[in-house]
Amino acid sequence: MNLDLQGIFDALLEGVVVLDDADRIEFLNTEAARLLGAPAELSPSERLSEALGQDHPICGIVERVRRSGRTSIHDEVEFPQRLATPIPVDVSASILGDRNDGAIAIIVRDRSAARSLREEISERERQESYGHIAAGIAHEVKNPLGGIRGAAELLQLSAKDDRSRKTAALIVGEVDRISGLVDELMIFARGDALELERVNVHRPLDALLDLLALESGYGSIEIERLYDPSLPELEADQARLQQVFLNLARNAMQAMEESGGKLTLSTRMTLENRLVGPDGRAQPTIEIVIRDEGPGIPDAIRHRLATPFFTTKRKGTGLGLAVARHWIRRHGGRLNIESIEGEGTRVIVDLPLQPLAPPELDRTPGTLTQTGNQESPT
Ligand code: ADP
Ligand code: MG
């Protein structure tokens, strides 16, 4: 039988590298070449440390195996990538049997899908628990609110003097405000469907500027638009996107209420291809950045930003970012916040040209599959 060994190894999901006794690369399959860097760079017979640089974590592992003579196993080692974020890789390295003269075999396995799935699961569990709380609150609060409103309206109609009428109207108004809040919260409880249409992303961005113009207090804020006019349309829910951008831009404006400054809205196609579709391929992605020159966000509170009800504002609801994040995720996109204290904040929204389903979890034990994109935590 004439086996094509290289072909077989190249078909493996694991990367395989074999080094000779002087750590020269004797064998390398396609997956190993991908995880370690461009294949062209790693021509066989080159020394590993010369090909990758002595700093590459795999060199340290090989050194350890040489020293101890034992197999060395490492979980989620970060393999640096030239133009992208590092890939977490499980590595196991061992000396091949006596007859192989000190050759070392290294098996490497990409863990990024598993890692993003793990993050996705905990994020989803968080969202689900918000949903339970929201549903509970909505039920307990909405019904009595209806009663209060009705009673206040009756009072308003039967009031004999102006003051009573105004007081009753005040009750109605405040009840409506709470109702609105509960409705907003209900977004987490319902699996709202998106109403998809072709959207020029500049349309909802411009619309929000019109809306913001109606709000007072943003006197000395300059607005700059850096739109890429060649952006393709995306398939999205325009009303939801408008809500997202409004929430984010309003935060930016509020951050500059006292200091003044410039709000910059910019759009472009991203080249980094950070969103991954069900087939595991990078998806064409539009990036929208909302930048302000406000005070920035202290490190200490950054991880709490998108938690419902977290606010640092006297009259804030703490729902703006949570809701924005929810709708971005429903589109299969991502929300990232970068902030430098004293300089300002950049809120980055990545949206796929076509909505991606959020990852499906196959709950059968041992067969977790991922069919969606990954998201980094805000
Ligand atoms: P709210 O605006 O009602 O407080 P959000 O969810 O919109 O709720 O925002 C939560 C918190 O995140 C804000 O209270 C604020 O502390 C912080 N934040 C959000 N955006 C910005 C920004 N552009 N600059 C500074 N802080 C921000
Ligand atoms: Mg807000």
Side-chain angles (χ1 to χ4, degrees), residues 108 143 231 250 323:
V108 285
N143 291 340
L231 280 190
R250 187 181 276 142
V323 167

Side-chain angles (χ1 to χ4, degrees), residues 19 35 40 148 202 279 337 348:
L19 304 177
L35 293 174
I148 296 171
H202 301 132
D279 52 1
I337 299 177
I348 302 140

Side-chain angles (χ1 to χ4, degrees), residues 25-241:
I25 298 159
E26 199 141 274
F27 177 84
L28 184 74
N29 72 348
T30 314
E31 176 67 356
R34 180 180 78 85
L35 293 174
L36 289 171
E41 264 176 83
L42 280 184
S43 51
S45 83
E46 206 175 342
R47 250 179 221 277
L48 194 67
S49 58
E50 279 159 18
L52 299 174
Q54 187 63 47
D55 294 343
H56 196 287
I58 205 168
C59 296
I61 294 173
V62 167
E63 227 173 85
R64 186 185 299 202
V65 172
R66 286 260 178 253
R67 239 185 299 123
S68 67
R70 292 220 212 108
T71 299
S72 192
I73 297 173
H74 302 259
D75 288 341
E76 302 205 4
V77 180
E78 301 283 332
F79 274 20
Q81 303 296 312
R82 254 191 322 149
L83 295 174
T85 47
I87 302 179
V89 177
D90 285 351
V91 183
S92 85
S94 39
I95 304 251
L96 288 174
D98 302 337
R99 282 188 306 148
N100 290 294
D101 256 5
I104 287 186
I106 307 168
I107 313 285
V108 285
R109 183 188 292 189
D110 185 346
R111 298 292 294 170
S112 29
R115 179 185 285 186
S116 61
L117 180 59
R118 214 161 49 219
E119 282 164 4
E120 191 58 54
I121 290 172
S122 66
E123 173 57 33
R124 177 185 290 207
E125 282 170 353
R126 211 163 37 216
Q127 293 276 341
E128 270 173 17
S129 63
Y130 297 156
H132 288 309
I133 298 170
I137 292 180
H139 185 74
E140 295 301 322
V141 172
K142 269 290 224 195
N143 291 340
L145 278 183
I148 296 171
R149 195 182 197 283
E153 270 177 334
L154 278 182
L155 283 179
Q156 205 175 352
L157 288 175
S158 61
K160 303 255 169 336
D161 59 304
D162 220 31
R163 193 157 161 243
S164 313
R165 233 186 328 271
K166 272 192 187 145
T167 310
L170 186 77
I171 298 175
V172 173
E174 293 296 284
V175 164
D176 286 346
R177 202 162 66 87
I178 301 175
S179 281
L181 205 70
V182 172
D183 287 341
E184 230 178 312
L185 197 59
M186 278 307 288
I187 285 167
F188 298 110
R190 288 188 243 118
D192 278 3
L194 296 174
E195 278 178 39
L196 296 177
E197 55 187 319
R198 315 242 7 126
V199 178
N200 173 344
V201 79
H202 301 132
R203 190 94 45 77
L205 283 172
D206 283 343
L208 84 87
L209 292 179
D210 293 339
L211 285 171
L212 286 176
L214 298 174
E215 298 181 6
S216 56
Y218 308 139
S220 59
I221 297 173
E222 189 191 331
I223 293 172
E224 185 177 26
R225 282 176 289 183
L226 300 174
Y227 291 171
D228 175 352
S230 69
L231 280 190
E233 292 186 320
L234 44 81
E235 205 175 305
D237 187 322
Q238 171 141 324
R240 300 308 186 188
L241 286 191

Side-chain angles (χ1 to χ4, degrees), residues 247-248 251-252 254-255 292 294-297 301 305-307 310-313 315-322 337 339 345 347:
N247 290 3
L248 301 176
N251 281 345
Q254 288 170 345
D292 68 64
I297 301 169
I301 64 167
L305 291 185
T307 308
F310 174 79
T311 182
T312 56
K313 298 169 194 165
K315 285 199 167 167
T317 63
L319 286 173
L321 281 178
I337 299 177
S339 184
T345 303
V347 179

